[in-house]
Amino acid sequence: MALSENEVKALRNKRGLIKGQITRLVTFLDDFERKEPKDYIYLETKVEQSVQKCENFDNIQFEIETNTDEPNLEKEYTDRFNFEDKCIYKC
């Protein structure tokens, strides 16, 4: 069953929250490179959390893509590719 426009909007809001969390993680990693002493246990925790966030993003993005009309799919695919680049290359 297709989701309503309000349900898709709610998913987009959740996706936005995850994007923000990953952006903060990227900032953390940039700062971590410069900090001394390094707290590798905390770093490991942050990386584990980022894996979960990326999985959550993937699940939400899939729901959005499967409930988006064809003319709007390109934007959704672009959002996915941009986010995956951030997750893979920055994290």
Side-chain angles (χ1 to χ4, degrees), residues 4-49:
S4 72
E5 185 58 38
N6 284 339
E7 291 170 316
V8 172
K9 184 177 179 180
L11 288 171
R12 286 187 180 118
N13 287 340
K14 286 181 183 180
R15 179 183 65 189
L17 292 173
I18 293 171
K19 285 178 170 181
Q21 292 169 341
I22 293 297
T23 298
R24 286 188 295 280
L25 175 66
V26 169
T27 301
F28 167 80
L29 293 173
D30 288 342
D31 292 344
F32 186 83
E33 290 177 350
R34 295 185 293 268
K35 279 188 175 178
E36 291 296 334
K38 306 241 186 258
D39 183 351
Y40 290 101
I41 293 172
Y42 187 59
L43 175 64
E44 184 178 348
T45 300
K46 293 294 265 186
V47 169
E48 289 170 0
Q49 290 173 353

Side-chain angles (χ1 to χ4, degrees), residues 31-84:
D31 292 344
F32 186 83
E33 290 177 350
R34 295 185 293 268
K35 279 188 175 178
E36 291 296 334
K38 306 241 186 258
D39 183 351
Y40 290 101
I41 293 172
Y42 187 59
L43 175 64
E44 184 178 348
T45 300
K46 293 294 265 186
V47 169
E48 289 170 0
Q49 290 173 353
S50 72
V51 169
Q52 182 63 42
K53 288 177 188 357
C54 289
E55 289 173 0
N56 289 344
F57 175 88
D58 188 54
N59 293 334
I60 290 169
Q61 186 65 27
F62 176 79
E63 286 296 317
I64 292 170
E65 290 169 1
T66 57
N67 287 281
T68 297
D69 295 333
E70 189 71 33
N72 299 316
L73 269 177
E74 190 63 35
K75 180 188 177 313
E76 298 304 337
Y77 292 150
T78 300
D79 278 353
R80 174 185 287 283
F81 296 138
N82 290 339
F83 181 81
E84 286 174 350

